[in-house]
Amino acid sequence: MEHRFSKFTWGAKACHGGPGPEVHHDPPLIFNLAQSVQEKVPLDHSAAEFRTVLPKIERTLAALLQDIATDNVSSADYSQDPSVTPCCNPQHVVCRCEPTNS
């Protein structure tokens, strides 16, 4: 069986263009994708399947977060080669920095 869980959901896009309010689910919504491919009907919190799957999901999530936390992180040193220095041109397609007001 494949399951999907969600701790947070958001409403549909509002008329002003922003998303609807965020909703935190505790316990999370868990969907059995064999029974609810569209993720319309979450498992009942009191169901045996929910109680069996939730600890597995929690262990998997904890392992993933631990892996991320202990990942080797590198930092680039742009001081040696000026051709790789990040740009700061808001008109440039790949520029991602904010110009300073100095």
PDB file of all heavy atoms in Angstrom, residues 4-5 10 13 18 26 30-32 38 40 43 46-48 50 57-58 68-70 74 84 89-90 98:
ATOM      1  N   ARG A   4       0.059   8.696   1.529  1.00  0.00           N
ATOM      2  CA  ARG A   4       0.561  10.071   1.487  1.00  0.00           C
ATOM      3  C   ARG A   4      -0.017  10.775   2.695  1.00  0.00           C
ATOM      4  O   ARG A   4      -1.154  10.560   3.071  1.00  0.00           O
ATOM      5  CB  ARG A   4       0.119  10.776   0.212  1.00  0.00           C
ATOM      6  CG  ARG A   4       0.686  12.186   0.146  1.00  0.00           C
ATOM      7  CD  ARG A   4       0.484  12.801  -1.177  1.00  0.00           C
ATOM      8  NE  ARG A   4       1.306  12.082  -2.144  1.00  0.00           N
ATOM      9  CZ  ARG A   4       1.437  12.434  -3.397  1.00  0.00           C
ATOM     10  NH1 ARG A   4       0.786  13.480  -3.844  1.00  0.00           N
ATOM     11  NH2 ARG A   4       2.183  11.749  -4.214  1.00  0.00           N
ATOM     12  N   PHE A   5       0.825  11.614   3.303  1.00  0.00           N
ATOM     13  CA  PHE A   5       0.334  12.343   4.471  1.00  0.00           C
ATOM     14  C   PHE A   5       0.515  13.835   4.253  1.00  0.00           C
ATOM     15  O   PHE A   5       1.312  14.275   3.435  1.00  0.00           O
ATOM     16  CB  PHE A   5       1.043  11.873   5.744  1.00  0.00           C
ATOM     17  CG  PHE A   5       2.356  12.554   6.006  1.00  0.00           C
ATOM     18  CD1 PHE A   5       2.454  13.541   6.969  1.00  0.00           C
ATOM     19  CD2 PHE A   5       3.476  12.213   5.290  1.00  0.00           C
ATOM     20  CE1 PHE A   5       3.661  14.174   7.202  1.00  0.00           C
ATOM     21  CE2 PHE A   5       4.685  12.825   5.520  1.00  0.00           C
ATOM     22  CZ  PHE A   5       4.784  13.810   6.483  1.00  0.00           C
ATOM     23  N   TRP A  10      -3.710  24.137   2.389  1.00  0.00           N
ATOM     24  CA  TRP A  10      -4.042  25.526   2.087  1.00  0.00           C
ATOM     25  C   TRP A  10      -5.309  25.547   1.268  1.00  0.00           C
ATOM     26  O   TRP A  10      -5.604  24.611   0.542  1.00  0.00           O
ATOM     27  CB  TRP A  10      -2.923  26.180   1.266  1.00  0.00           C
ATOM     28  CG  TRP A  10      -1.649  26.277   2.016  1.00  0.00           C
ATOM     29  CD1 TRP A  10      -1.211  27.353   2.728  1.00  0.00           C
ATOM     30  CD2 TRP A  10      -0.642  25.283   2.164  1.00  0.00           C
ATOM     31  NE1 TRP A  10       0.011  27.084   3.305  1.00  0.00           N
ATOM     32  CE2 TRP A  10       0.378  25.812   2.968  1.00  0.00           C
ATOM     33  CE3 TRP A  10      -0.495  23.979   1.712  1.00  0.00           C
ATOM     34  CZ2 TRP A  10       1.514  25.105   3.329  1.00  0.00           C
ATOM     35  CZ3 TRP A  10       0.641  23.270   2.071  1.00  0.00           C
ATOM     36  CH2 TRP A  10       1.622  23.835   2.857  1.00  0.00           C
ATOM     37  N   LYS A  13      -6.845  29.125  -4.395  1.00  0.00           N
ATOM     38  CA  LYS A  13      -6.412  30.494  -4.678  1.00  0.00           C
ATOM     39  C   LYS A  13      -7.603  31.443  -4.570  1.00  0.00           C
ATOM     40  O   LYS A  13      -8.662  31.204  -5.124  1.00  0.00           O
ATOM     41  CB  LYS A  13      -5.816  30.559  -6.073  1.00  0.00           C
ATOM     42  CG  LYS A  13      -5.082  31.842  -6.361  1.00  0.00           C
ATOM     43  CD  LYS A  13      -4.439  31.794  -7.730  1.00  0.00           C
ATOM     44  CE  LYS A  13      -2.969  32.019  -7.571  1.00  0.00           C
ATOM     45  NZ  LYS A  13      -2.277  32.093  -8.841  1.00  0.00           N
ATOM     46  N   GLY A  18      -3.904  35.373  -3.823  1.00  0.00           N
ATOM     47  CA  GLY A  18      -3.166  34.690  -2.770  1.00  0.00           C
ATOM     48  C   GLY A  18      -3.815  33.366  -2.402  1.00  0.00           C
ATOM     49  O   GLY A  18      -4.970  33.114  -2.738  1.00  0.00           O
ATOM     50  N   ASP A  26      -3.098  18.018  13.081  1.00  0.00           N
ATOM     51  CA  ASP A  26      -2.432  17.222  14.090  1.00  0.00           C
ATOM     52  C   ASP A  26      -3.481  16.377  14.787  1.00  0.00           C
ATOM     53  O   ASP A  26      -4.252  16.910  15.590  1.00  0.00           O
ATOM     54  CB  ASP A  26      -1.709  18.113  15.099  1.00  0.00           C
ATOM     55  CG  ASP A  26      -0.871  17.313  16.074  1.00  0.00           C
ATOM     56  OD1 ASP A  26      -0.564  16.140  15.779  1.00  0.00           O
ATOM     57  OD2 ASP A  26      -0.534  17.863  17.139  1.00  0.00           O
ATOM     58  N   ILE A  30      -3.845  11.355   6.454  1.00  0.00           N
ATOM     59  CA  ILE A  30      -3.169  10.248   5.783  1.00  0.00           C
ATOM     60  C   ILE A  30      -4.145   9.664   4.774  1.00  0.00           C
ATOM     61  O   ILE A  30      -5.305   9.392   5.098  1.00  0.00           O
ATOM     62  CB  ILE A  30      -2.716   9.156   6.774  1.00  0.00           C
ATOM     63  CG1 ILE A  30      -1.741   9.738   7.788  1.00  0.00           C
ATOM     64  CG2 ILE A  30      -2.077   7.989   6.020  1.00  0.00           C
ATOM     65  CD1 ILE A  30      -1.300   8.750   8.860  1.00  0.00           C
ATOM     66  N   PHE A  31      -3.649   9.496   3.550  1.00  0.00           N
ATOM     67  CA  PHE A  31      -4.475   8.964   2.465  1.00  0.00           C
ATOM     68  C   PHE A  31      -3.914   7.626   2.000  1.00  0.00           C
ATOM     69  O   PHE A  31      -2.705   7.493   1.807  1.00  0.00           O
ATOM     70  CB  PHE A  31      -4.499   9.931   1.279  1.00  0.00           C
ATOM     71  CG  PHE A  31      -5.041  11.284   1.629  1.00  0.00           C
ATOM     72  CD1 PHE A  31      -4.191  12.296   2.032  1.00  0.00           C
ATOM     73  CD2 PHE A  31      -6.393  11.540   1.549  1.00  0.00           C
ATOM     74  CE1 PHE A  31      -4.678  13.548   2.361  1.00  0.00           C
ATOM     75  CE2 PHE A  31      -6.899  12.790   1.883  1.00  0.00           C
ATOM     76  CZ  PHE A  31      -6.042  13.792   2.284  1.00  0.00           C
ATOM     77  N   ASN A  32      -4.782   6.652   1.819  1.00  0.00           N
ATOM     78  CA  ASN A  32      -4.415   5.393   1.187  1.00  0.00           C
ATOM     79  C   ASN A  32      -4.644   5.629  -0.305  1.00  0.00           C
ATOM     80  O   ASN A  32      -5.783   5.741  -0.756  1.00  0.00           O
ATOM     81  CB  ASN A  32      -5.293   4.250   1.708  1.00  0.00           C
ATOM     82  CG  ASN A  32      -4.973   2.935   1.037  1.00  0.00           C
ATOM     83  OD1 ASN A  32      -4.547   2.884  -0.115  1.00  0.00           O
ATOM     84  ND2 ASN A  32      -5.196   1.850   1.762  1.00  0.00           N
ATOM     85  N   GLN A  38      -7.302  10.586  -5.599  1.00  0.00           N
ATOM     86  CA  GLN A  38      -7.409  12.042  -5.637  1.00  0.00           C
ATOM     87  C   GLN A  38      -7.176  12.684  -4.274  1.00  0.00           C
ATOM     88  O   GLN A  38      -7.267  13.897  -4.129  1.00  0.00           O
ATOM     89  CB  GLN A  38      -8.781  12.484  -6.164  1.00  0.00           C
ATOM     90  CG  GLN A  38      -9.051  12.087  -7.582  1.00  0.00           C
ATOM     91  CD  GLN A  38      -9.632  10.673  -7.667  1.00  0.00           C
ATOM     92  OE1 GLN A  38      -9.990  10.053  -6.679  1.00  0.00           O
ATOM     93  NE2 GLN A  38      -9.708  10.157  -8.885  1.00  0.00           N
ATOM     94  N   LYS A  40      -9.048  12.606  -1.623  1.00  0.00           N
ATOM     95  CA  LYS A  40     -10.275  13.263  -1.176  1.00  0.00           C
ATOM     96  C   LYS A  40     -10.713  12.773   0.194  1.00  0.00           C
ATOM     97  O   LYS A  40     -11.341  13.518   0.942  1.00  0.00           O
ATOM     98  CB  LYS A  40     -11.410  13.000  -2.178  1.00  0.00           C
ATOM     99  CG  LYS A  40     -11.267  13.716  -3.489  1.00  0.00           C
ATOM    100  CD  LYS A  40     -12.468  13.459  -4.368  1.00  0.00           C
ATOM    101  CE  LYS A  40     -12.364  14.185  -5.676  1.00  0.00           C
ATOM    102  NZ  LYS A  40     -13.548  13.951  -6.513  1.00  0.00           N
ATOM    103  N   LEU A  43      -7.772   8.756   5.853  1.00  0.00           N
ATOM    104  CA  LEU A  43      -8.088   7.662   6.763  1.00  0.00           C
ATOM    105  C   LEU A  43      -8.667   8.227   8.057  1.00  0.00           C
ATOM    106  O   LEU A  43      -8.260   9.295   8.513  1.00  0.00           O
ATOM    107  CB  LEU A  43      -6.823   6.861   7.095  1.00  0.00           C
ATOM    108  CG  LEU A  43      -6.144   6.145   5.932  1.00  0.00           C
ATOM    109  CD1 LEU A  43      -4.846   5.484   6.415  1.00  0.00           C
ATOM    110  CD2 LEU A  43      -7.074   5.111   5.313  1.00  0.00           C
ATOM    111  N   SER A  46      -9.246   6.940  13.970  1.00  0.00           N
ATOM    112  CA  SER A  46      -9.450   5.806  14.876  1.00  0.00           C
ATOM    113  C   SER A  46      -9.294   4.454  14.172  1.00  0.00           C
ATOM    114  O   SER A  46      -9.345   3.414  14.827  1.00  0.00           O
ATOM    115  CB  SER A  46     -10.818   5.895  15.538  1.00  0.00           C
ATOM    116  OG  SER A  46     -11.841   5.830  14.551  1.00  0.00           O
ATOM    117  N   ALA A  47      -9.077   4.460  12.866  1.00  0.00           N
ATOM    118  CA  ALA A  47      -8.969   3.212  12.107  1.00  0.00           C
ATOM    119  C   ALA A  47      -7.637   2.519  12.378  1.00  0.00           C
ATOM    120  O   ALA A  47      -6.604   3.166  12.600  1.00  0.00           O
ATOM    121  CB  ALA A  47      -9.115   3.497  10.613  1.00  0.00           C
ATOM    122  N   ALA A  48      -7.643   1.205  12.335  1.00  0.00           N
ATOM    123  CA  ALA A  48      -6.440   0.412  12.559  1.00  0.00           C
ATOM    124  C   ALA A  48      -5.356   0.762  11.531  1.00  0.00           C
ATOM    125  O   ALA A  48      -4.175   0.846  11.867  1.00  0.00           O
ATOM    126  CB  ALA A  48      -6.773  -1.076  12.500  1.00  0.00           C
ATOM    127  N   PHE A  50      -4.805   3.601  10.052  1.00  0.00           N
ATOM    128  CA  PHE A  50      -4.205   4.885  10.432  1.00  0.00           C
ATOM    129  C   PHE A  50      -3.195   4.671  11.550  1.00  0.00           C
ATOM    130  O   PHE A  50      -2.064   5.166  11.494  1.00  0.00           O
ATOM    131  CB  PHE A  50      -5.292   5.870  10.882  1.00  0.00           C
ATOM    132  CG  PHE A  50      -4.773   7.243  11.213  1.00  0.00           C
ATOM    133  CD1 PHE A  50      -4.737   8.234  10.251  1.00  0.00           C
ATOM    134  CD2 PHE A  50      -4.309   7.537  12.484  1.00  0.00           C
ATOM    135  CE1 PHE A  50      -4.247   9.501  10.551  1.00  0.00           C
ATOM    136  CE2 PHE A  50      -3.817   8.797  12.797  1.00  0.00           C
ATOM    137  CZ  PHE A  50      -3.790   9.782  11.823  1.00  0.00           C
ATOM    138  N   ILE A  57       5.202   6.541   9.155  1.00  0.00           N
ATOM    139  CA  ILE A  57       5.383   7.859   8.542  1.00  0.00           C
ATOM    140  C   ILE A  57       6.235   8.739   9.439  1.00  0.00           C
ATOM    141  O   ILE A  57       7.157   9.414   8.971  1.00  0.00           O
ATOM    142  CB  ILE A  57       4.014   8.516   8.250  1.00  0.00           C
ATOM    143  CG1 ILE A  57       3.327   7.799   7.088  1.00  0.00           C
ATOM    144  CG2 ILE A  57       4.173  10.006   7.958  1.00  0.00           C
ATOM    145  CD1 ILE A  57       1.912   8.252   6.823  1.00  0.00           C
ATOM    146  N   GLU A  58       5.956   8.719  10.739  1.00  0.00           N
ATOM    147  CA  GLU A  58       6.723   9.542  11.673  1.00  0.00           C
ATOM    148  C   GLU A  58       8.196   9.134  11.691  1.00  0.00           C
ATOM    149  O   GLU A  58       9.086   9.986  11.716  1.00  0.00           O
ATOM    150  CB  GLU A  58       6.117   9.467  13.073  1.00  0.00           C
ATOM    151  CG  GLU A  58       4.789  10.202  13.160  1.00  0.00           C
ATOM    152  CD  GLU A  58       4.062  10.001  14.485  1.00  0.00           C
ATOM    153  OE1 GLU A  58       4.295   8.953  15.158  1.00  0.00           O
ATOM    154  OE2 GLU A  58       3.262  10.881  14.842  1.00  0.00           O
ATOM    155  N   ILE A  68      18.852  15.367   6.479  1.00  0.00           N
ATOM    156  CA  ILE A  68      19.031  16.748   6.022  1.00  0.00           C
ATOM    157  C   ILE A  68      19.894  17.523   7.005  1.00  0.00           C
ATOM    158  O   ILE A  68      20.813  18.246   6.616  1.00  0.00           O
ATOM    159  CB  ILE A  68      17.665  17.444   5.827  1.00  0.00           C
ATOM    160  CG1 ILE A  68      16.920  16.815   4.646  1.00  0.00           C
ATOM    161  CG2 ILE A  68      17.841  18.952   5.626  1.00  0.00           C
ATOM    162  CD1 ILE A  68      15.475  17.241   4.529  1.00  0.00           C
ATOM    163  N   ALA A  69      19.635  17.355   8.297  1.00  0.00           N
ATOM    164  CA  ALA A  69      20.370  18.096   9.328  1.00  0.00           C
ATOM    165  C   ALA A  69      21.843  17.725   9.374  1.00  0.00           C
ATOM    166  O   ALA A  69      22.687  18.550   9.718  1.00  0.00           O
ATOM    167  CB  ALA A  69      19.729  17.865  10.692  1.00  0.00           C
ATOM    168  N   THR A  70      22.169  16.486   9.023  1.00  0.00           N
ATOM    169  CA  THR A  70      23.558  16.038   9.112  1.00  0.00           C
ATOM    170  C   THR A  70      24.253  15.997   7.758  1.00  0.00           C
ATOM    171  O   THR A  70      25.364  15.496   7.649  1.00  0.00           O
ATOM    172  CB  THR A  70      23.632  14.641   9.764  1.00  0.00           C
ATOM    173  OG1 THR A  70      22.859  13.726   8.989  1.00  0.00           O
ATOM    174  CG2 THR A  70      23.122  14.681  11.186  1.00  0.00           C
ATOM    175  N   SER A  74      28.404  22.537   1.860  1.00  0.00           N
ATOM    176  CA  SER A  74      29.576  23.248   1.359  1.00  0.00           C
ATOM    177  C   SER A  74      29.198  24.698   1.124  1.00  0.00           C
ATOM    178  O   SER A  74      28.038  25.032   0.933  1.00  0.00           O
ATOM    179  CB  SER A  74      30.083  22.617   0.054  1.00  0.00           C
ATOM    180  OG  SER A  74      29.113  22.755  -0.945  1.00  0.00           O
ATOM    181  N   VAL A  84      32.700  34.369 -11.587  1.00  0.00           N
ATOM    182  CA  VAL A  84      31.633  33.596 -10.953  1.00  0.00           C
ATOM    183  C   VAL A  84      30.992  34.343  -9.784  1.00  0.00           C
ATOM    184  O   VAL A  84      30.194  33.775  -9.049  1.00  0.00           O
ATOM    185  CB  VAL A  84      32.152  32.209 -10.478  1.00  0.00           C
ATOM    186  CG1 VAL A  84      32.563  31.367 -11.657  1.00  0.00           C
ATOM    187  CG2 VAL A  84      33.253  32.355  -9.462  1.00  0.00           C
ATOM    188  N   ASN A  89      21.934  42.596 -10.526  1.00  0.00           N
ATOM    189  CA  ASN A  89      21.282  43.396 -11.547  1.00  0.00           C
ATOM    190  C   ASN A  89      19.838  42.925 -11.642  1.00  0.00           C
ATOM    191  O   ASN A  89      19.555  41.905 -12.253  1.00  0.00           O
ATOM    192  CB  ASN A  89      22.003  43.214 -12.891  1.00  0.00           C
ATOM    193  CG  ASN A  89      21.321  43.979 -14.011  1.00  0.00           C
ATOM    194  OD1 ASN A  89      20.257  44.558 -13.827  1.00  0.00           O
ATOM    195  ND2 ASN A  89      21.931  43.972 -15.173  1.00  0.00           N
ATOM    196  N   PRO A  90      18.903  43.664 -11.037  1.00  0.00           N
ATOM    197  CA  PRO A  90      17.503  43.229 -11.037  1.00  0.00           C
ATOM    198  C   PRO A  90      16.915  43.030 -12.433  1.00  0.00           C
ATOM    199  O   PRO A  90      15.922  42.328 -12.589  1.00  0.00           O
ATOM    200  CB  PRO A  90      16.775  44.350 -10.294  1.00  0.00           C
ATOM    201  CG  PRO A  90      17.830  45.047  -9.516  1.00  0.00           C
ATOM    202  CD  PRO A  90      19.106  44.897 -10.296  1.00  0.00           C
ATOM    203  N   GLU A  98      19.245  41.282  -3.832  1.00  0.00           N
ATOM    204  CA  GLU A  98      18.612  42.572  -3.620  1.00  0.00           C
ATOM    205  C   GLU A  98      19.701  43.636  -3.594  1.00  0.00           C
ATOM    206  O   GLU A  98      20.667  43.511  -2.844  1.00  0.00           O
ATOM    207  CB  GLU A  98      17.863  42.587  -2.284  1.00  0.00           C
ATOM    208  CG  GLU A  98      16.682  41.659  -2.238  1.00  0.00           C
ATOM    209  CD  GLU A  98      15.540  42.104  -3.128  1.00  0.00           C
ATOM    210  OE1 GLU A  98      15.330  43.330  -3.264  1.00  0.00           O
ATOM    211  OE2 GLU A  98      14.879  41.228  -3.700  1.00  0.00           O
TER     212      GLU A  98
END
